Amino acid sequence: MSIPPFEQLSNLDRLVHEPARLSILTALSVCESAEFMFLQSLTGLTRGNLNTHLTTLEQAGLVSAEKGFRGRVPQTTVRITEKGREAVEQHWARLRTLQKAARAWKPGKGRTKTEEP
Amino acid sequence: MSDPARVRYLVEHYAQLQGLRLVPLGLVFVAVACWHDRQLGWLPGSADGGIRQWFLGALAVAVLASYAIGAYYRRLFGELTLPANHAAGPRLLATAVVVFVCMVLQEAYRWPVSLPLVVVGIVLARIGVVEGRLRGHYLGIAIACLFMANITSFGVPPQTAQVMFDLLVGGGLLVAGIGDHLVLLRMLRPPGHERYVDSPV
């Protein structure tokens, strides 16, 4: 018996699915690299929170961060890795599939085995 | 911002959305319209053919101002780098070539409807409708272009048509620039203006 789409939503990769990290990965998948400040402007996160998310993504091997200077101003440049690119593209593909399945879902169809009478 | 299509559009068009960079150039063309309408005769040296120097000087100031405004955007929102094979450059070049060819054909055949303006209008209309009319202000400029393309059929004198064309260019740049800047402000938030509390990690 296939798992209903709504139950599949709870099995999504939470590392990628978290809204701020998903925005970060989606933006980085389109560009070569982005400054920390741009990602902060995009997500609206505080500096500390964005730092934490980027550290999480870096430890998972989804992004890489380089620290440098522009003149005397320190700046961090973030790039997505191939692993990160694949992860975010697969994630969006999975969400599109789930969206179609959810639209086609009818009550009473696709119950899990534990719900069967 | 959670809409992936809009995130991708923002990143791909980040440079074009820095619209205030167009404002100085827009003001120059509005000044050109005033000149063609004989409103700037008071400019020193303009009566002796010095208007060319004024125009070139204004263009130079506009270009420098555009660079300074670009630096302002970098300080405000940060910077990003697009891949080397990004499509925007070739697309722009292709559009410029098509418009140039249309100008040559228009000059040769003297059609009553201006083909270059029709093409520019169509291109701008396309920009105005993508992403759920995110840059809908381009539709107004497109309509103005299509109107100007037919200007001779309204019996408008050539001098007035010239002024209207200059206003179209200048006004179009101002509307596009300010409109794109407002779109950018809706999509990005400068650090220090956090829109919501820290998200759970």
Side-chain angles (χ1 to χ4, degrees):
Chain A
M1 187 71 68
S2 62
I3 303 172
F6 305 105
E7 288 186 26
Q8 290 183 54
L9 281 171
S10 63
N11 295 331
L12 287 171
D13 182 353
R14 286 166 195 260
L15 176 66
V16 176
H17 189 60
E18 198 284 328
R21 289 196 286 265
L22 190 52
S23 283
I24 292 166
L25 289 170
T26 302
L28 291 175
S29 68
V30 181
C31 64
E32 182 80 20
S33 64
E35 284 183 358
F36 182 95
M37 188 189 287
F38 177 80
L39 296 175
Q40 198 180 351
S41 305
L42 177 71
T43 57
L45 293 170
T46 62
R47 193 174 182 82
N49 206 354
L50 177 59
N51 241 328
T52 307
H53 283 298
L54 287 177
T55 301
T56 304
L57 289 171
E58 203 175 2
Q59 285 171 350
L62 301 186
V63 304
S64 64
E66 296 167 20
K67 293 187 192 298
F69 287 88
R70 191 200 297 142
R72 291 184 179 180
V73 179
Q75 68 173 34
T76 302
T77 304
V78 186
R79 295 170 203 273
I80 194 168
T81 61
E82 273 312 305
K83 183 183 174 186
R85 196 179 299 279
E86 278 173 27
V88 72
E89 283 168 9
Q90 280 172 12
H91 189 79
W92 281 117
R94 192 148 176 232
L95 283 176
R96 283 192 291 271
T97 304
L98 284 174
Q99 186 185 37
K100 283 182 196 164
R103 282 186 180 147
W105 183 79
K106 288 195 168 74
K109 276 190 180 181
R111 287 173 187 255
T112 58
K113 281 196 173 176
T114 54
E115 291 177 17
E116 287 177 5
Chain B
M1 186 175 17
S2 57
D3 183 343
R6 289 226 166 163
V7 169
R8 290 191 190 104
Y9 187 88
L10 166 66
V11 171
E12 285 175 349
H13 297 86
Y14 180 52
Q16 291 96 318
L17 288 171
Q18 296 174 19
L20 291 183
R21 297 193 306 177
L22 293 179
V23 168
L25 194 59
L27 291 173
V28 168
F29 278 94
V30 170
V32 169
C34 293
W35 167 254
H36 282 134
D37 198 36
R38 298 187 174 89
Q39 304 290 329
L40 294 181
W42 50 268
L43 280 174
S46 60
D48 305 325
I51 195 63
R52 179 183 287 269
Q53 278 80 2
W54 276 105
F55 177 68
L56 291 174
L59 266 184
V61 168
V63 169
L64 287 171
S66 177
Y67 272 110
I69 293 169
Y72 155 78
Y73 277 112
R74 277 197 300 278
R75 278 196 308 274
L76 192 65
F77 295 121
E79 203 168 13
L80 58 87
T81 307
L82 290 172
N85 60 353
H86 186 62
R91 256 203 305 258
L92 191 62
L93 182 63
T95 305
V97 166
V98 167
V99 171
F100 178 75
V101 167
C102 291
M103 287 168 70
V104 169
L105 291 172
Q106 183 71 28
E107 190 65 29
Y109 293 103
R110 302 268 174 196
W111 290 309
V113 175
S114 170
L115 184 61
L117 275 175
V118 168
V119 168
V120 169
I122 291 170
V123 169
L124 294 178
R126 190 177 175 279
I127 295 173
V129 298
V130 294
E131 283 309 312
R133 288 195 282 181
L134 179 68
R135 297 162 87 183
H137 48 284
Y138 278 83
L139 288 173
I141 309 169
I143 290 168
C145 282
L146 294 174
F147 173 78
M148 265 308 290
N150 289 280
I151 199 71
T152 52
S153 62
F154 297 120
V156 175
Q159 175 70 16
T160 307
Q162 178 67 62
V163 173
M164 290 175 71
F165 179 77
D166 295 331
L167 281 175
L168 172 66
V169 175
L173 287 169
L174 289 174
V175 169
I178 294 170
D180 282 348
H181 175 71
L182 293 175
V183 167
L184 198 63
L185 286 185
R186 282 204 304 273
M187 299 173 87
L188 293 178
R189 195 61 63 99
H193 296 82
E194 284 79 31
R195 66 168 68 92
Y196 54 87
V197 297
D198 294 356
S199 70
V201 179

